[in-house]
Amino acid sequence: MGFTITPPTAAAKWLGFVTAVWVQAISGNNYTFSNYSDALKTLMNLTQVELNNLSVAKDVGKAFGLLPGLASDHVSPSLLLLIGGIEGFIGYGVQWLVVAEIISPLPYWAMCIFLCLGGNSTTWMNTAVLVTCIRNFRKNRGPVSGILKGYVGLSTAIFTDLCVALFSDDSSTFLFMLAVIPLAVCLVAALFLREIPPSSTDVEEKEEVRYFGVINALAVIVAVYLLVYDVTGTHSSSFSLAFAIVLLFLLASPLLIPIYLSIKNLVRSRSDSVSDVEDHMTETEPLLLDEESISVQETEKKEEMEEEEAEEVATEAVVVVEKRPPVIGEEHTIFESLRTVDFWILFVSFLCGVGTGLTVMNNMGQIGLALGYTDVSIFVSLMSIFGFFGRIISGVVSEYFIKIAGTPRPLWNAASQIIMAVGYIIMAVALPGSLYIGSIVVGICYGIRLAITVPTASELFGLKYYGLVYNVLILNLPLGSFLFSGLLAGYLYDAQATATAGGGNTCTGAHCYRLVFVLMSVACVIGFGLDVLLVIRTKSVYARIYASKKAKKSMALS
């Protein structure tokens, strides 16, 4: 008819993606520990090791991400979101009661449990949106991962800046926001997020790329807007209120895409109904079928029967082939994935990147105080915002280079690891301004690491059991937090610290974390070597992906 009709499911699919973006924009609460850690340390009279172990307990919640991973193949995304929202409301709600001094500080073990609940809540949210959206947009996995993980990175800055703008950076109010806002957003997203068949034509795929470009542009505007607010110093109450209103408007702006698609479908459906009536009025149906038409119908039936027989033979052949163990790039169960060398290379290199990055995020409050900064919210926001740029840019760039050259996606992980090592050396030197530079570098590289690993796992081990494979990889968050933050940073800090009258301890000076940064840079160099090895081992996989995309493009042009 001269134009392509956008299927009615397209608007629903994009509405689900927009709500997924909102979920990710509030699911980075695990990275906000530095914003209220000092309040917990003071109220509970904790040493640095005890405080770091509280942050580890928060990250241990992600170890139970296997539960949503298993559930993702059996229950709806809506139920996963509801579980995550309620669990976060309980976990962060109790912490708010303690910090607001509405109740007395709970025993240390009880606080660990509630921090664990808060940390686990995000695994349900992330599994619901990542698995569903990557299946819905499987031909654009890089942009999907970059956008969703990018908003996770921005969520720390969103929460921090909203709290600063509206409530003067009060720790108890901040925790109240962490408890209530994610639950409200999950309740909204549960109404719209569901699996919908992916695009089936080249035109639909190109439309997806265009709409992802729009959402990327809007996300960059949000990030720049947050960055400008952070670097312009203190603001008046009226200015801060205006900032908060505009920020909420920007976060809602991706809704324009499903609204546009709905209007377009409505207009086209009306024009189609009019043309159908006109066609019906002009059509004349023959009363008798001539012999030639009958013979044509018999020939078509015969061809259909032959095609069905051929499909049955092909299906039997596929069943025989599938009995062999899958090779990398094909569908793997979780146990088949765990038996591959490539999975463990990806797992350990991921540990070196996210484990060290989490250590900086969990300890930023004490790192800033040691270097003489009384307010560390600027560093938390910088890591969040530049983490967003790392995630969103790496998702788009890695997808582009796969399409034009078949470049293995792990190559970008390798680059991020070596740059992250440089960032830790800069922070170890502790020259004036080095914490600003280090925060930016670590934020970017941590973002790249997360955004690249998500689609890489789906390309190497398939989408069928992706929810569980993803959550096994995410075990690196609690493991890395325990090894690098709980053990390495906690004990090395306490070795340099002096006791305080209240029962805690404190350390001031560049020496407090210097050795921690040096050792973490060594870990990143090890991760770099593993990523380079994975690039070499997966070249054939990405060559096949490139060949497939090139062949499809040639067919579409012809």
Side-chain angles (χ1 to χ4, degrees), residues 3 38 40-41 60 120 127 155 157 162 206 219 255 282 308 334 360 362 448 477 539:
F3 57 84
D38 199 51
L40 285 176
K41 185 176 183 180
V60 164
N120 183 247
T127 300
S155 64
L162 280 177
K206 288 180 179 178
L255 273 177
T282 57
E308 290 176 358
I334 185 60
V360 176
N362 290 340
I448 293 173
L477 296 179
K539 284 178 66 176

Side-chain angles (χ1 to χ4, degrees), residues 191-210:
L191 299 175
F192 303 105
L193 185 66
R194 64 182 186 275
E195 282 193 29
I196 296 174
S199 60
S200 56
T201 66
D202 189 55
V203 174
E204 290 176 18
E205 186 176 347
K206 288 180 179 178
E207 282 188 345
E208 286 184 2
V209 173
R210 186 164 64 250

Side-chain angles (χ1 to χ4, degrees), residues 232-454:
T232 51
T234 57
H235 308 91
S236 65
S237 58
S238 58
F239 182 89
S240 297
L241 179 61
F243 159 81
I245 293 172
V246 173
L247 177 60
L248 294 175
F249 173 78
L250 290 174
L251 292 174
S253 59
L255 273 177
L256 294 173
I257 291 176
I259 290 173
Y260 166 74
L261 290 173
S262 298
I263 295 172
K264 186 168 71 169
N265 287 327
L266 180 62
V267 172
R268 287 181 174 175
S269 62
R270 286 182 177 178
S271 63
D272 288 345
S273 63
V274 173
S275 63
D276 288 342
V277 171
E278 292 174 351
D279 292 342
H280 182 71
M281 294 174 65
T282 57
E283 282 180 358
T284 57
E285 185 177 346
L287 298 177
L288 297 175
L289 294 174
D290 55 21
E291 293 181 359
E292 184 178 352
S293 63
I294 293 173
S295 64
V296 169
Q297 290 179 359
E298 290 177 348
T299 303
E300 290 176 349
K301 289 181 180 179
K302 185 176 180 181
E303 289 176 353
E304 288 177 0
M305 292 177 65
E306 290 176 353
E307 288 177 359
E308 290 176 358
E309 291 176 359
E311 287 177 359
E312 290 177 0
V313 172
T315 302
E316 292 175 358
V318 170
V319 170
V320 172
V321 171
E322 285 182 349
K323 289 181 179 178
R324 64 168 173 78
V327 297
I328 199 72
E330 297 178 348
E331 294 289 348
H332 286 64
T333 67
I334 185 60
F335 296 108
E336 289 168 340
S337 301
L338 293 175
R339 286 198 290 267
T340 64
V341 175
D342 302 279
F343 180 88
W344 292 107
I345 295 175
L346 183 62
F347 185 91
V348 178
S349 69
F350 192 44
L351 173 66
C352 294
V354 299
T356 56
L358 267 178
T359 300
V360 176
M361 294 178 186
N362 290 340
N363 290 270
M364 184 55 76
Q366 285 66 48
I367 293 172
L369 291 174
L371 294 178
Y373 297 96
T374 56
D375 182 11
V376 298
S377 61
I378 179 64
F379 302 112
V380 175
S381 292
L382 285 176
M383 291 190 70
S384 174
I385 293 168
F386 282 92
F388 157 80
F389 285 119
R391 297 172 204 226
I392 204 164
I393 293 172
S394 63
V396 173
V397 170
S398 65
E399 193 75 24
Y400 174 76
F401 277 95
I402 288 175
K403 290 179 179 178
I404 69 164
T407 305
R409 215 184 288 265
L411 179 65
W412 307 101
N413 276 339
S416 70
Q417 291 277 54
I418 202 68
I419 296 173
M420 186 180 266
V422 174
Y424 291 138
I425 294 299
I426 291 173
M427 295 171 83
V429 173
L431 293 175
S434 63
L435 192 55
Y436 288 94
I437 299 172
S439 298
I440 293 171
V441 170
V442 173
I444 292 173
C445 295
Y446 184 85
I448 293 173
R449 182 81 245 191
L450 281 175
I452 295 296
T453 302
V454 169

Side-chain angles (χ1 to χ4, degrees), residues 98-116:
V98 171
V99 173
E101 300 186 55
I102 297 174
I103 62 174
S104 301
L106 299 177
Y108 186 79
W109 62 268
M111 288 299 294
C112 287
I113 290 175
F114 286 108
L115 265 84
C116 184

Side-chain angles (χ1 to χ4, degrees), residues 1 5 64 79 82 88 93 109 146 177 183 205 213 251 257 263 266 296 327 368 371 398 414 472 486 488 497 526 544:
M1 295 179 64
I5 298 177
F64 297 97
L79 184 57
L82 290 175
W109 62 268
M177 291 170 59
L183 175 61
E205 186 176 347
L251 292 174
I257 291 176
I263 295 172
L266 180 62
V296 169
V327 297
L371 294 178
S398 65
V472 172
L488 180 67
I526 295 172
R544 292 199 300 270

Side-chain angles (χ1 to χ4, degrees), residues 38-241:
D38 199 51
L40 285 176
K41 185 176 183 180
T42 302
L43 281 170
M44 300 179 67
N45 292 324
L46 303 177
T47 65
Q48 189 61 33
V49 168
E50 290 171 333
L51 183 65
N52 282 10
N53 285 336
L54 273 184
S55 72
V56 171
K58 162 185 65 69
D59 295 322
V60 164
K62 291 187 177 291
F64 297 97
L66 295 175
L67 297 177
L70 289 168
S72 63
D73 293 325
H74 304 286
V75 302
S76 67
S78 299
L79 184 57
L80 296 178
L81 289 170
L82 290 175
I83 294 172
I86 293 170
E87 196 174 19
F89 178 76
I90 296 171
Y92 288 102
V94 171
Q95 294 178 63
W96 165 69
L97 292 173
V98 171
V99 173
E101 300 186 55
I102 297 174
I103 62 174
S104 301
L106 299 177
Y108 186 79
W109 62 268
M111 288 299 294
C112 287
I113 290 175
F114 286 108
L115 265 84
C116 184
L117 280 176
N120 183 247
S121 67
T122 59
T123 64
W124 294 88
M125 302 176 198
N126 292 340
T127 300
V129 300
L130 281 171
V131 173
T132 304
C133 291
I134 283 184
R135 287 175 177 171
N136 288 351
F137 301 96
R138 60 185 64 195
K139 296 177 182 177
N140 287 285
R141 302 181 195 186
V144 168
S145 173
I147 291 170
L148 294 180
K149 284 297 181 184
Y151 270 98
V152 173
L154 275 185
S155 64
T156 304
I158 291 170
F159 273 124
T160 302
D161 288 351
L162 280 177
C163 188
V164 171
L166 300 176
F167 309 109
S168 301
D169 196 21
D170 179 65
S171 297
S172 63
T173 307
F174 185 80
L175 279 166
F176 182 78
M177 291 170 59
L178 293 184
V180 174
I181 294 178
L183 175 61
V185 173
C186 285
L187 289 174
V188 173
L191 299 175
F192 303 105
L193 185 66
R194 64 182 186 275
E195 282 193 29
I196 296 174
S199 60
S200 56
T201 66
D202 189 55
V203 174
E204 290 176 18
E205 186 176 347
K206 288 180 179 178
E207 282 188 345
E208 286 184 2
V209 173
R210 186 164 64 250
Y211 295 143
F212 280 128
V214 172
I215 294 181
N216 273 331
L218 291 172
V220 170
I221 292 172
V222 172
V224 172
Y225 182 66
L226 291 168
L227 182 61
V228 170
Y229 181 79
D230 285 334
V231 299
T232 51
T234 57
H235 308 91
S236 65
S237 58
S238 58
F239 182 89
S240 297
L241 179 61

Side-chain angles (χ1 to χ4, degrees), residues 41 48 366-367 369-371 492-498 500 505-513:
K41 185 176 183 180
Q48 189 61 33
Q366 285 66 48
I367 293 172
L369 291 174
L371 294 178
L492 290 181
Y493 179 94
D494 279 347
Q496 302 289 338
T498 56
T500 59
N505 61 14
T506 186
C507 179
T508 303
H511 64 284
C512 300
Y513 282 96

